[in-house]
Amino acid sequence: MDFSARLKELESFERKDNKASLSSMLKQNGFTRRDFLKYSSAMAAMLGLSSTFAPTIAKAIELADRLPVIWLHMAECTGCSESLLRSDAPTIDSLIFDYINLEYHETIMAASGFQAESNLENAMKKHKGKYILMVEGAIPAGQSSFYLTLGAHAKKGEEIAKQACNNAAAIFAIGACSSFGGIQAAAPNPTNAMPLSKITNKAVINVPGCPPSEKNIVGNVLHYVLYGTLPALDNYNRPKWAYENRIHDLCERRGHFDAGEFVQSFGDEGAKKGYCLYKVGCKGPYTFNNCSKLRFNQHTNWPIGAGHGCIGCSEPDFWDNMGPFEEPLKSHLFKSISADATSDKIGIGVLTLTGLTIAAHAVISSVKKD
Ligand code: SF4
Ligand code: SF4
């Protein structure tokens, strides 16, 4: 891929002139150029590029303010935005998010009421066909769409989301709710909440998680800045660069799983020794995400590191399919397992076998240890 042509093209795009430069924002927040290059190198690795691409990534980040982004809130808790923005010591990811040309984001913009509504309309008109759309939250749809009305004219969320999708260059469903319906769509789904992909015919890239890590959000913007195309996807439309590995495969407790060393109950000796959390409900074997590699809160920790099993938040319908969260699944049909689209049958067969092995392994070791 000729990144230089793409970056040159971006350089010719209009930039918002009232924005502080990225280097001044980084400096103000205590980051050096070296920190930035280190970050760019980590981003290159995350996107599957070698570290020699770090300067290219750095350039792409600096040009990220050329692409307009519209962020919509639907039926949700704003946890995904919080994941990215709520920090007393901003991360480079959150600064980049501040730096991009964010044309509309209800949580962080000053406008409200009629003014906010006309800001959105103007942004969609001005950047028609060129903006990146990021949508947070599920969407009450069809006859139940009135469960979500927004703005001074009480427009339905479904109507706003559809309109924004129609004119977007790329569409990202941010978080479990927008990707798969989330808790709003949990049975019996009283508001008929839908994933974004169900209310538009356009391609939607799912970035699930409850919340997704800030790197998975910013990484998608960067991927689009750099490539100008959509990333390779798995069969749940999640970008492979972020969601192709199982939590279980990259877990720091995996050695204990293989050795049959399990936490039997929270707070026991095994928990103190950092044993595997499978028997207290970890859903890592059934969940695809990169949390173990990227972690959260400036790479400080992640749920399994903190002593609770994965609850499968990046899988479809995890509220209904992965519970109870603190017990192993009695039976798992692997309907949410993302086998490679071209080898579904074989993949699911292998994964089912893996699942049986996991269950057998847990039973055998429980006999050994109990
Ligand atoms: S079951 Fe969970 S805690 Fe155990 S190794 Fe797998 S992902 Fe890690
Ligand atoms: S560890 Fe599991 S539940 Fe926790 S954030 Fe990652 S995918 Fe979601």
Side-chain angles (χ1 to χ4, degrees):
M1 166 102 200
D2 181 6
F3 291 129
S4 52
R6 168 73 181 156
L7 296 180
K8 241 197 188 114
E9 178 195 11
L10 280 175
E11 242 165 342
S12 67
F13 287 11
E14 185 193 350
R15 136 173 230 280
K16 261 201 163 177
D17 48 10
N18 58 352
K19 280 255 162 197
S21 73
L22 182 65
S23 58
S24 71
M25 284 171 78
L26 291 170
K27 206 164 159 196
Q28 249 175 38
N29 286 281
F31 294 104
T32 62
R33 181 80 191 159
R34 198 155 172 253
D35 296 327
F36 179 53
L37 286 175
K38 226 166 116 191
Y39 171 89
S40 304
S41 178
M43 274 299 196
M46 201 176 86
L47 296 175
L49 298 166
S50 88
S51 58
T52 55
F53 282 94
T56 311
I57 297 278
K59 182 80 186 153
I61 296 172
E62 278 160 355
L63 291 172
D65 64 340
R66 309 299 209 272
L67 281 181
V69 175
I70 292 177
W71 181 295
L72 296 181
H73 289 281
M74 296 285 133
E76 37 92 354
C77 69
T78 313
C80 302
S81 291
E82 293 267 322
S83 158
L84 191 55
L85 301 168
R86 185 167 172 253
S87 169
D88 54 355
T91 59
I92 296 187
D93 295 285
S94 61
L95 289 172
I96 290 170
F97 197 68
D98 258 6
Y99 171 72
I100 59 177
N101 183 4
L102 197 54
E103 286 280 339
Y104 185 87
H105 187 297
E106 282 148 20
T107 315
I108 55 177
M109 68 190 190
S112 62
F114 291 104
Q115 179 68 57
E117 229 169 30
S118 76
N119 282 3
L120 177 58
E121 273 155 25
N122 292 341
M124 288 197 286
K125 211 186 285 166
K126 182 173 170 203
H127 302 291
K128 191 170 177 183
K130 292 191 188 134
Y131 59 83
I132 296 178
L133 176 67
M134 298 194 143
V135 178
E136 183 177 356
I139 301 152
Q143 290 199 342
S144 304
S145 55
F146 56 84
Y147 278 106
L148 176 67
T149 58
L150 299 160
H153 290 106
K155 278 192 186 166
K156 291 174 181 176
E158 184 188 19
E159 185 188 337
I160 298 173
K162 268 185 182 161
Q163 194 191 355
C165 284
N166 287 343
N167 298 320
I171 305 169
F172 296 96
I174 303 292
C177 306
S178 180
S179 297
F180 302 130
I183 191 167
Q184 287 69 252
N189 191 0
T191 63
N192 193 29
M194 296 277 167
L196 182 65
S197 56
K198 289 259 170 79
I199 62 132
T200 176
N201 293 328
K202 297 190 73 174
V204 174
I205 293 155
N206 291 328
V207 187
C210 191
S213 80
E214 63 268 32
K215 285 234 169 5
N216 285 358
I217 301 173
V218 171
N220 277 305
V221 177
L222 281 188
H223 188 285
Y224 190 72
V225 169
L226 201 57
Y227 289 85
T229 57
L230 303 181
L233 303 173
D234 72 4
N235 58 341
Y236 288 118
N237 282 2
R238 299 175 290 200
K240 283 191 175 174
W241 62 261
Y243 295 90
E244 75 176 344
N245 291 310
R246 284 187 310 167
I247 295 284
H248 187 61
D249 295 331
L250 300 173
C251 178
E252 64 216 27
R253 296 182 190 237
R254 179 61 188 264
H256 292 296
F257 176 90
D258 292 339
E261 294 169 336
F262 295 98
V263 174
Q264 308 288 337
S265 62
F266 290 109
D268 69 3
E269 269 311 298
K272 285 179 202 150
K273 289 179 177 158
Y275 284 179
C276 167
L277 298 160
Y278 178 75
K279 287 202 203 168
V280 283
C282 181
K283 307 300 184 297
Y286 320 106
T287 305
F288 288 75
N289 207 337
N290 54 7
C291 317
S292 51
K293 258 198 297 186
L294 299 183
R295 303 175 162 228
F296 293 84
N297 299 332
Q298 290 182 283
H299 197 69
T300 47
N301 210 346
W302 68 302
I304 288 178
H308 196 283
C310 165
I311 60 172
C313 75
S314 50
E315 295 303 307
D317 304 326
F318 81 101
W319 286 99
D320 291 329
N321 291 339
M322 295 290 189
F325 290 140
E326 294 180 349
E327 286 172 26
L329 291 178
K330 291 204 173 53
S331 65
H332 198 291
L333 300 173
F334 290 102
K335 64 180 179 189
S336 65
I337 285 292
S338 164
D340 187 308
T342 56
S343 61
D344 254 7
K345 281 197 179 136
I346 300 166
I348 289 173
V350 169
L351 288 162
T352 304
L353 195 62
T354 312
L356 293 175
T357 314
I358 289 165
H361 196 131
V363 171
I364 292 164
S365 67
S366 93
V367 172
K368 270 201 307 205
K369 310 251 159 193
D370 288 347

